Structures are given as C-alpha cells and as structure tokens.
Amino acid sequence: MTSTSTVLRASDPMLARTIPSLDGIRALAVVCVIWGHGAATLPQSELVVALRAYLPGGYFGVQAFFVLSGFLITTLLLRERSKTGRISLSGFYRRRAYRILPALFVFLAIVTVLALTGVISGVGPRDIISPALFLRDYWPLDGAWWTGHTWSLSVEEQFYVLWPLAVILIPRAVAVKVLVAGVLLSPVIRIGTSLLPFVPEGAVTYMFHTRADALMIGCLLAYGAGQNWYARILEWIFARRLQWAVVVWLPVSWALTSRFEGLWMYTVGYVGDALAVAIVIVWMMRSPGSPFGRFLNWRPVVHVGLISYSLYLYQQLFLTNHNDTWFGRLTVGGLLALLLAAEASYWFVERPFIRLRVRRERAKTTRGAASRRVDGHSS
C-alpha cells in the first residue's frame, strides 16, 4: 500500500525536476524593481503618486527575490544530499561563483570606466570595492547611486556563504525550528538594530541580519516540500481559498507602508509581505494551468525571468534622474537601452560562463569515472 507521504511527494510540484512558474515569478520581481526605480523618474502627478503607493515596487521585487533564493538554494542542497548522500561545499560555491561573479564584475568594470571618463559622477573606490566583496548592505550606507542596488545581492551572497554549512550541520527537524524561530524573532532584531545609536536612519532596510527572514521563509518552503505537516498546512490554506487573502493583503500592506513607514515594515510588513510572496510562489507552482500560471510560463515572460539578473544589475544605470540622456529614466529609450544591455550581459557573459562551468563539471566527472575504472581493473 502506498503511504500518504509517498503520494504527497509524488504530487508536490516543488519536488519536480523542473519547478513550474519560477522564471515567471522572477520576471515579475524584476519588473517590480524596474517600476519602483523608474516611477521615481516620472513627473509626479496625482496618478503616478497613487500608482507608486498601491502598485508593488522595488521593495516587493527584492522580497520576492529573497524568498525565491532561500527556496531554490535550499532545494538544490537538499536534492544533492538526497542524490549523493552529501553536500559538496566546494561544488556549491563554484556554481555560485560562475553564476554571479562574471556578470557582476563586468558591470562593475563598466561603472568604473564610466566614472573615470566622467560620464557618471560620485563614484569612489568604496562604491566598487564593497559590491565586489559583497559588503554593500553594510558599507557604505551613504554610497553612490550607481552601485547602491547591490546591497540586495550582498545580502544573498552572505546567505550563500552561511546557509550551506547550516544545512550540513543542522538536522532537518532542528533546522525547521531554527528557521521558524528566526522568522518570529526578526521584528525584534530589526527594532533593536534601529535603536542602536551608530545605525543610520533607514539602514535596517539594507542589512543582512535585518532582512534574512524573507530568505528563511524561502528555506522553510524547501524543507516542507514532501512533508506531511507542510502538506496539511497548504491543504488547509487552499481548501479555504485563503490564498486570495494575498490579493487583499499586498495593497493594504503597501498603503500602510506609505503611511507608517518603518513602524509598519519593521514589525509586520517585512514578514507579512514575505509570507505573501511565499503563498504566491506555492500557488503558482500548484496551478501552472491557471490563467495567471499560464502567463507566468509564457515564453516571453520566462525569458524576462532568465535575464532578470542582468536586468537587475543594469537598471541602475538607466532608470534614474542622474541619467538625463535619451536613454535615461522610465522612457521608451531608457527601457530599450536597459533591455539591450541586459540581453548583451546574458548572452555574452552569463551564458558562456554557465556553459564553461557545465563543461568543466562534465570533464571532471568523466575523469573521475575513468580513474575508477582504471582502479577497478588494477585491483
């Protein structure tokens, strides 16, 4: 007789080899970032002000990226351990380096050249060094606009350094409890950090230790996949159609953010919005055939998700009032220039390095297999 847990594992879309809708969710996240930065460059009419207050912006896009990162990285680590019986830290860090570093370093090189040639201003050495070392979430908090967005990439990279060790060292059941405790304690951590005399106003928004709850919620999604307790929670939510509460929650939360700012965000907003993102992720993975699910899996939307990292990197150069050329601000020219830069980064930087990594991993696997065959014959 097939056990309940086996049925749950077989039907859980998060355990499938290819998880539906994730690239589409990435696309929506980066569009939120583009809108959030670009809307600030538009004439601030009553309509634009209202749209900025009630439409998801850059903050929400970053929350979505954090939840996705926690979920995907934990899923990959757990799958590796299930398949091979262990997790290779060197392999994990190597894959992350191939994925993240080339596009980032090319972007930083372009910013450096633009600064040295006087095309952009205000860029100092620390504005290049801190993103390269993934410290931009802590230093400099008053840095130049052009690399300011890399604070969120720094948060994710610090997570990538620490979390694989935790997955290896902490048993699954204990890890779930630790993650839940971390999420519950996160408002206290944010408020405590904001009260420290040496922390600048607003800095809580950018720091790893004050924004890690969204990553932890993503990790919980991965740990729950295929587990009975997790399936029961989801069935309870979806049987009562509580996923639609997200549709109400998000605009209310954004309005309260505009009204109360840090008081709302530090206590309820960050956690609530991350949980809402998590519900949307699960909802769309469970319903790829729904109208919205089909939209997320539509090829043009998936492609935007595939180039989302490069879009994230380069939007800072174009969607700003600091760029007063024809390809600056939220204009047709600005969006076209951003799209061309992101496509170039994806096709000429990201993809070649991903292919290089794959080739090297295959060559290493082939050499290892050949060595084992030689050892087997010699014995």
Side-chain angles (χ1 to χ4, degrees):
M1 182 175 179
T2 304
S3 68
T4 303
S5 61
T6 301
V7 173
L8 291 173
R9 286 178 171 84
S11 62
D12 195 328
M14 291 189 288
L15 294 174
R17 180 175 178 83
T18 301
I19 302 173
S21 306
L22 291 192
D23 283 322
I25 294 171
R26 280 197 193 94
L28 292 186
V30 78
V31 166
C32 288
V33 174
I34 290 171
W35 161 251
H37 286 166
T41 70
L42 297 172
Q44 297 303 295
S45 64
E46 290 185 5
L47 176 60
V48 171
V49 171
L51 290 175
R52 291 182 68 186
Y54 290 99
L55 288 180
Y59 150 73
F60 182 74
V62 169
Q63 283 291 83
F65 278 127
F66 284 168
V67 176
L68 276 173
S69 292
F71 168 66
L72 288 172
I73 292 304
T74 308
T75 297
L76 292 173
L77 291 169
L78 294 177
R79 284 181 176 179
E80 180 182 357
R81 184 162 64 188
S82 177
K83 182 179 179 180
T84 67
R86 59 186 294 271
I87 294 173
S88 170
L89 286 178
S90 61
F92 173 83
Y93 294 137
R94 183 170 57 251
R95 290 190 295 272
R96 289 294 88 200
Y98 274 104
R99 180 69 183 89
I100 300 297
L101 297 183
L104 173 64
F105 288 168
V106 169
F107 169 75
L108 293 177
I110 290 173
V111 172
T112 301
V113 171
L114 292 175
L116 292 175
T117 55
V119 176
I120 61 177
S121 60
V123 178
R126 64 181 186 169
D127 296 303
I128 304 300
I129 294 171
S130 62
L133 297 177
F134 301 111
L135 299 174
R136 195 62 171 80
D137 53 334
Y138 290 100
W139 170 78
L141 292 173
D142 59 345
W145 160 268
W146 308 104
T147 61
H149 61 314
T150 58
W151 72 267
S152 57
L153 182 60
S154 298
V155 168
E156 293 200 9
E157 288 300 310
Q158 290 158 20
F159 165 73
Y160 296 155
V161 170
L162 298 173
W163 183 240
L165 293 170
V167 175
I168 292 172
L169 297 175
I170 304 175
R172 186 179 190 128
V174 177
V176 170
K177 294 177 182 178
V178 169
L179 289 168
V180 171
V183 172
L184 294 176
L185 287 173
S186 59
V188 177
I189 294 171
R190 277 190 284 271
I191 294 171
T193 300
S194 69
L195 295 176
L196 294 174
F198 54 83
V199 175
E201 183 177 358
V204 172
T205 299
Y206 307 108
M207 298 176 177
F208 169 75
H209 72 281
T210 58
R211 296 298 301 273
D213 49 335
L215 291 158
M216 290 188 283
I217 288 170
C219 297
L220 283 169
L221 287 184
Y223 271 115
Q227 303 298 305
N228 289 335
W229 61 267
Y230 179 74
R232 286 195 295 269
I233 291 173
L234 291 185
E235 290 308 316
W236 186 86
I237 291 173
F238 288 100
R240 291 160 179 78
R241 299 186 180 276
L242 295 180
Q243 69 270 28
W244 288 101
V246 174
V247 178
V248 177
W249 166 267
L250 291 177
V252 170
S253 179
W254 299 325
L256 290 171
T257 299
S258 300
R259 177 69 177 84
F260 297 105
E261 298 180 345
L263 178 62
W264 169 258
M265 295 308 299
Y266 296 172
T267 55
V268 179
Y270 282 142
V271 175
D273 289 355
L275 287 171
V277 170
I279 292 173
V280 170
I281 290 172
V282 176
W283 188 8
M284 290 303 101
M285 287 190 296
R286 289 165 60 102
S287 308
S290 67
F292 192 50
R294 289 196 299 271
F295 172 76
L296 290 178
N297 291 283
W298 184 37
R299 184 170 294 182
V301 176
V302 169
H303 181 70
V304 173
L306 291 175
I307 66 171
S308 59
Y309 178 43
S310 287
L311 284 169
Y312 156 82
L313 286 175
Y314 285 90
Q315 50 82 31
Q316 204 83 348
L317 294 180
F318 302 104
L319 303 178
T320 172
N321 285 321
H322 298 299
N323 185 342
D324 56 4
T325 66
W326 70 270
F327 52 84
R329 303 188 177 97
L330 189 60
T331 61
V332 173
L335 290 174
L336 180 60
L338 169 58
L339 182 61
L340 290 175
E343 291 284 3
S345 174
Y346 176 71
W347 289 103
F348 299 115
V349 182
E350 288 190 61
R351 281 179 63 90
F353 275 93
I354 291 173
R355 287 197 297 267
L356 176 61
R357 174 184 64 79
V358 171
R359 285 198 303 270
R360 289 186 172 180
E361 287 180 349
R362 286 175 178 170
K364 183 178 179 180
T365 301
T366 301
R367 288 194 301 269
S371 176
R372 286 192 295 272
R373 285 197 298 270
V374 170
D375 291 341
H377 289 313
S378 64
S379 61

